[in-house]
């Protein structure tokens, strides 16, 4: 008689039941973490069991089952009112991710130097789809604190960094950004596609993007792209400040300085085109 090999039970769609259930639980767990992270970023101190069950479209008992191993491993923390918030483990994971980005360590001294020289807040961002994500921030003591935080994301459309990365990135990125709905964050936001396309062209011509109070009222920002060893755009560095401390008349001078600093960061990452630009005395 021919021997047979035991197999896992199979569902009607051909997937082994245990593997399918594990994948479903993992997806729900990741959605749960995303929900808590999003609400934390929006200022909620904790997320209730009822809210999580509603968000996931499942029962409270299922939420408790999903959260139990996360609490044990400190990815989540239970609050006295039976809610949930992110735990220290989530912070350590995020910190490990940030520390693993060579861009962040390479750019750090340049951000510090620029903040000291200008008295403005410096940011380092990376692209994620059609958004930018803050991965570092340097602000000097005594400056007005800005609302940006490491880990926050914003649409490229309303930011100087986004314009810089689109202007010097792959051509299809421009079309992907324009395909997204335009949201006016302030009265100065550019929501017209033709105007925004023209602004990207101007950004490419001068070497830096400008956010003239388009994302936050009274905040002006200038940014330039950062390239890696393959001469591909991997991020942008920017300077930001109150419009009263960063007047429009200073944009050209400070913008040229930002371009040079972004080139220096790019050289530290191994960009040959940035090295050539610096050797020719660009900016």
């Amino acid at each position: 008689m021919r021997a047979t090999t035991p197999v896992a039970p199979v569902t009607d769609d051909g997937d082994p039941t245990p593997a399918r259930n594990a994948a479903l639980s993992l997806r729900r767990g990741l959605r749960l973490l995303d929900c808590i992270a999003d609400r934390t970023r929006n200022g909620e101190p904790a997320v209730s069991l009822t809210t999580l069950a509603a968000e996931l479209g499942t029962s409270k008992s299922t939420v408790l089952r999903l959260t139990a191993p996360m609490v044990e491993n400190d990815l989540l923390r239970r609050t006295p009112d039976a809610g949930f918030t992110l735990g220290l483990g989530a912070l350590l994971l995020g910190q490990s991710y940030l520390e693993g980005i060579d861009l962040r360590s390479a750019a750090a001294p340049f951000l510090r130097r620029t903040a000291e020289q200008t008295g403005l807040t410096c940011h380092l961002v990376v692209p994620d789809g059609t958004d930018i994500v803050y991965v570092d921030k340097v602000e000097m003591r005594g400056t007005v604190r800005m609302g940006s935080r490491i880990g926050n994301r914003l649409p490229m459309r309303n930011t100087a960094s986004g314009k810089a990365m689109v202007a010097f990135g792959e051509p299809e990125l421009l079309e992907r950004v324009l395909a997204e709905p335009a949201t006016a964050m302030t009265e100065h936001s550019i929501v017209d596609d033709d105007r925004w396309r023209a602004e990207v062209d101007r950004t490419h011509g001068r070497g830096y993007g400008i956010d003239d109070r388009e994302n936050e009222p009274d905040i002006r920002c200038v940014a330039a792209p950062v390239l890696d060893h393959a001469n591909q755009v991997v991020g942008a560095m920017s300077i930001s400040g109150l419009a009263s401390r960063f007047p429009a008349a200073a944009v050209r001078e400070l913008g040229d300085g930002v371009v040079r600093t972004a080139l220096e960061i790019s050289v530290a990452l191994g960009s040959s085109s940035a090295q050539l630009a610096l050797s020719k005395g660009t900016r």
Side-chain angles (χ1 to χ4, degrees):
M1 179 179 293
R2 206 174 161 187
T4 59
T5 302
V7 295
V10 177
T11 60
D12 291 338
D13 60 5
D15 289 335
T17 301
R20 188 182 182 193
N21 289 342
L24 178 61
S25 293
L26 178 58
R27 291 191 187 98
R28 283 177 170 173
L30 293 174
R31 283 179 56 201
L32 185 147
L33 283 173
D34 282 341
C35 172
I36 295 175
D38 285 341
R39 288 176 174 270
T40 299
R41 281 193 293 267
N42 290 329
E44 293 189 31
V47 186
S48 70
L49 181 63
T50 300
T51 298
L52 288 173
E55 286 279 354
L56 269 64
T58 188
S59 65
K60 293 181 181 179
S61 61
T62 297
V63 171
L64 288 173
R65 178 175 56 81
L66 291 171
T67 56
M70 298 184 193
V71 171
E72 290 172 7
N73 289 278
D74 213 18
L75 290 174
L76 293 179
R77 182 173 59 84
R78 293 293 299 267
T79 59
D81 58 356
F84 293 88
T85 187
L86 295 178
L88 180 60
L91 172 63
L92 294 176
L93 280 177
Q95 189 65 32
S96 296
Y97 168 75
L98 292 174
E99 289 176 353
I101 299 176
D102 289 338
L103 168 61
R104 187 169 182 256
S105 58
F110 297 99
L111 297 184
R112 171 63 58 180
R113 184 191 69 189
T114 302
E116 291 173 348
Q117 290 176 344
T118 64
L120 299 171
T121 299
C122 289
H123 293 105
L124 181 69
V125 307
V126 296
D128 185 13
T130 56
D131 291 344
I132 66 167
V133 179
Y134 291 96
V135 295
D136 209 352
K137 174 181 180 179
V138 178
E139 56 187 351
M140 304 309 295
R141 185 173 300 176
T143 59
V144 176
R145 296 186 66 85
M146 300 181 62
S148 56
R149 291 180 296 176
I150 294 175
N152 276 8
R153 66 173 56 236
L154 291 171
M156 288 184 176
R157 182 132 185 175
N158 292 335
T159 65
S161 293
K163 292 173 187 173
M165 289 191 286
V166 169
F168 292 90
E170 296 297 325
E172 59 267 21
L173 180 57
L174 171 61
E175 302 308 322
R176 285 195 284 126
V177 170
L178 290 176
E180 295 290 330
T183 302
M185 304 300 292
T186 74
E187 62 179 331
H188 300 286
S189 300
I190 303 174
V191 295
D192 180 79
D193 287 353
D194 290 336
R195 280 188 60 205
W196 201 81
R197 192 185 296 270
E199 181 61 24
V200 169
D201 289 340
R202 284 191 288 270
T203 296
H204 192 274
R206 64 183 169 237
Y208 56 87
I210 300 172
D211 160 14
D212 189 6
R213 300 161 294 165
E214 296 165 44
N215 186 61
E216 294 183 69
D218 301 322
I219 296 295
R220 187 168 281 123
C221 178
V222 170
V226 173
L227 313 179
D228 66 4
H229 64 282
N231 297 317
Q232 300 296 310
V233 175
V234 292
M237 69 86 58
S238 69
I239 56 173
S240 306
L242 288 173
S244 58
R245 296 192 59 188
F246 189 178
V251 165
R252 174 60 187 272
E253 179 182 356
L254 291 173
D256 286 348
V258 168
V259 171
R260 182 173 183 84
T261 301
L263 288 173
E264 291 173 336
I265 297 172
S266 301
V267 169
L269 293 173
S271 170
S272 57
S273 62
Q275 180 65 67
L276 180 61
L278 284 177
S279 67
K280 289 183 176 180
T282 301
R283 307 295 171 181

